[in-house]
């Protein structure tokens, strides 16, 4: 029996459509049809406004539901983390494994690669570090920062087939020439992160296949007139840029400036969230290497006073983007759905058709999550 959902706008592949209905059958979405073309034999649910949209794509989350990716990168752990984020509209993600010992790094790559085959919604992984700059280490443990060796490349190659929609974040100036090219030739995307890279470093990495920047503004030098550094280079080279729209990691004015500089078609909303999302009972925790982190209202701060990941959901980031970047709702949705789908080469995730109905969101006019009838 077909079901039709009418009465709401429909967000499909970057376009907000009015006066149409979403058809579904057996838990799958079939088509978007004009309101006057709903099949006569369909059961019609008239929704009281709002937006039907594909769920959000998270490209940088360190944990959720009480689990850190670094501690629980097995399939069950990753499914639990994704489930915590699903409460807030995220239906697909790259669980983010941060700087750790080399043996754990290799184990995480193998485990996340396998989970991408077996856990719905786990697209691959985001491996942030350990090839980062000590000057911009943030909360990453400096004891584990290093340059890649042949065992790393062998590990990437062994699991490359399952990592085609994954990201490796590194400091371009801290890796040997040719590193970015070797990783990209395996099909894995490369971002600049925790870096002191200047224009020349960014140009070299871009020529080798650098495609993005991780948490724009954070852990990188500022844009300056005589050195565009990472931010200005990202704008000129048209890189995709993840941005934490919590108003803490980036001031609201800076969020608005990023939209103008990078462009609304190149920004990816990310949370950089820890395991505190979906776990309100957690008020402090310890990162690998013994670094303590505390929940401080809408942020996470480590024992040294540095920001240590965010305490925000993608749904809140969408709302913040509309408010602070002064953009339309469809543009903010693009930053959480279409742009990451394009960057990761998963265009199917930007479409509302041929999807599990469970992966479709119904947002009210004020962007509150609602349950479909």
């Amino acid at each position: 029996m077909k079901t039709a959902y009418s009465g709401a706008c429909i967000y499909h592949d970057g376009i907000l459509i009015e006066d149409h209905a979403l058809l579904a059958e057996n838990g799958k979405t079939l088509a978007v049809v004009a309101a006057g073309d709903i099949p006569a034999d369909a059961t019609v649910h008239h929704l009281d406004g709002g937006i039907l949209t594909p769920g959000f794509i998270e490209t940088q989350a360190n944990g959720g539901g009480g689990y850190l990716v670094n501690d629980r990168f097995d399939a069950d752990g990753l499914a639990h983390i994704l489930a915590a984020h699903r409460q807030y509209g995220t239906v697909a993600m790259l669980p983010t494994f941060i700087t750790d010992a080399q043996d754990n790094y290799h184990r995480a790559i193998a485990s996340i690669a396998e989970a991408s085959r077996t856990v719905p919604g786990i697209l691959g992984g985001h491996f942030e570090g350990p090839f980062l700059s000590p000057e911009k280490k943030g909360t990453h443990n400096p004891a584990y920062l290093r340059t890649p060796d042949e065992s790393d490349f062998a590990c990437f190659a062994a699991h490359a087939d399952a990592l085609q929609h994954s990201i490796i974040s590194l400091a371009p100036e801290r890796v040997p020439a040719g590193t970015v090219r070797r990783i990209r030739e395996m099909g894995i995307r490369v971002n600049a992160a925790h870096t002191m890279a200047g224009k020349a470093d960014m140009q070299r990495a871009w020529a080798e296949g650098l495609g993005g920047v991780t948490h724009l503004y954070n852990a990188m030098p500022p844009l300056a007139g005589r050195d565009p550094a990472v931010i200005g280079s990202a704008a000129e080279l048209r890189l995709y840029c993840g941005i934490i729209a919590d108003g803490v990691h980036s001031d609201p004015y800076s969020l608005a400036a990023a939209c103008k500089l990078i462009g609304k078609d190149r920004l990816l909303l990310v949370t950089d969230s820890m395991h505190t999302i979906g776990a309100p009972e957690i008020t402090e925790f310890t990162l690998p290497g013994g670094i303590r982190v505390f929940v401080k209202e809408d942020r996470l701060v480590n024992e040294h006073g540095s920001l240590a990941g965010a305490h925000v959901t993608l749904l809140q980031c969408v709302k913040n983007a509309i408010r602070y970047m002064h953009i339309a709702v469809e543009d903010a949705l693009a930053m959480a759905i279409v742009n990451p789908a394009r960057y990761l080469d998963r265009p199917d995730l930007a479409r509302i058709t041929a999807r599990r109905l469970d992966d479709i969101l119904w947002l009210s006019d004020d962007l509150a999550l609602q349950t479909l009838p």
Side-chain angles (χ1 to χ4, degrees):
M1 175 71 73
K2 291 185 176 66
T3 302
Y5 296 95
S6 67
C9 293
I10 297 173
Y11 185 71
H12 173 61
D13 210 12
I15 300 172
L16 196 62
I17 305 169
E18 298 181 351
D19 300 320
H20 280 64
L22 177 66
L23 291 184
E25 186 175 27
N26 297 325
K28 299 281 188 179
T29 61
L30 300 177
V32 176
V33 299
D37 293 333
I38 297 173
D41 61 345
T43 299
V44 180
H45 292 291
H46 186 80
L47 307 178
D48 187 18
I51 300 171
L52 287 171
T53 175
F56 307 139
I57 305 168
E58 171 70 85
T59 59
Q60 189 181 5
N62 306 292
Y67 290 3
L68 277 171
V69 175
N70 277 60
D71 295 334
R72 289 297 305 270
F73 45 76
D74 58 285
D76 287 345
L78 297 177
H80 178 90
I81 290 168
L82 177 55
H85 286 265
R86 283 187 71 96
Q87 301 174 65
Y88 309 101
T90 295
V91 303
M93 70 160 41
L94 299 183
T96 303
F97 184 88
I98 69 169
T99 298
D100 207 332
Q102 189 174 46
D103 59 339
N104 285 339
Y105 182 59
H106 291 174
R107 287 173 54 233
I109 289 170
S111 185
I112 292 173
E114 179 60 26
S116 72
R117 297 187 175 101
T118 61
V119 181
I122 298 298
L123 308 180
H126 184 158
F127 304 98
E128 186 184 350
F131 318 128
L132 308 177
S133 167
E135 293 95 329
K136 290 292 182 181
K137 65 182 185 301
T139 200
H140 289 248
N141 191 331
Y144 296 135
L145 298 182
R146 58 186 180 84
T147 55
D149 62 26
E150 288 306 313
S151 71
D152 296 312
F153 289 110
C155 186
F156 302 151
H159 303 287
D161 287 349
L163 298 176
Q164 293 300 295
H165 311 293
S166 298
I167 297 172
I168 292 176
S169 285
L170 51 75
E173 79 282 9
R174 300 290 297 186
V175 298
T179 296
V180 174
R181 179 175 292 110
R182 289 183 69 179
I183 296 171
R184 281 298 296 129
E185 286 174 349
M186 299 180 199
I188 305 169
R189 281 144 193 79
V190 182
N191 280 11
H194 291 271
T195 175
M196 288 295 293
K199 174 184 173 181
D201 300 310
M202 293 294 288
Q203 286 178 318
R204 173 177 61 82
W206 174 76
E208 293 184 9
L210 183 78
V213 172
T214 294
H215 48 45
L216 187 75
Y217 292 131
N218 294 281
M220 61 189 63
L223 185 157
R226 290 183 175 85
D227 188 355
V230 178
I231 300 167
S233 298
E236 183 65 17
L237 299 173
R238 296 283 290 155
L239 301 180
Y240 282 97
C241 296
I243 191 162
I244 309 167
D246 60 355
V248 176
H249 283 72
S250 300
D251 183 86
Y253 280 19
S254 297
L255 291 172
C259 187
K260 295 170 184 173
L261 183 66
I262 302 299
K264 59 189 179 184
D265 62 328
R266 292 282 162 162
L267 287 178
L268 282 60
L269 298 179
V270 302
T271 66
D272 197 22
S273 56
M274 290 292 190
H275 58 321
T276 54
I277 295 299
E281 71 279 6
I282 298 175
T283 59
E284 67 175 88
F285 56 92
T286 303
L287 287 176
I291 300 174
R292 296 176 68 200
V293 177
F294 305 89
V295 179
K296 300 289 187 183
E297 296 180 350
D298 57 354
R299 67 200 72 191
L300 301 176
V301 181
N302 72 16
E303 60 188 86
H304 307 299
S306 296
L307 283 172
H311 188 60
V312 69
T313 67
L314 264 185
L315 179 58
Q316 186 60 52
C317 286
V318 168
K319 295 176 182 178
N320 289 348
I322 295 169
R323 177 182 178 186
Y324 298 139
M325 297 181 187
H326 317 296
I327 56 177
V329 62
E330 57 264 40
D331 296 325
L333 289 174
M335 293 179 188
I337 302 168
V338 177
N339 298 353
R342 288 175 178 167
Y343 184 40
L344 299 180
D345 194 23
R346 286 294 306 268
D348 55 302
L349 296 178
R351 298 191 285 267
I352 202 168
T353 52
R355 301 289 297 276
R356 297 192 310 166
L357 192 57
D358 286 347
D359 288 345
I360 304 306
L361 311 181
W362 178 27
L363 302 176
S364 67
D365 291 331
D366 59 355
L367 301 186
L369 279 172
Q370 301 184 107
T371 302
L372 279 173

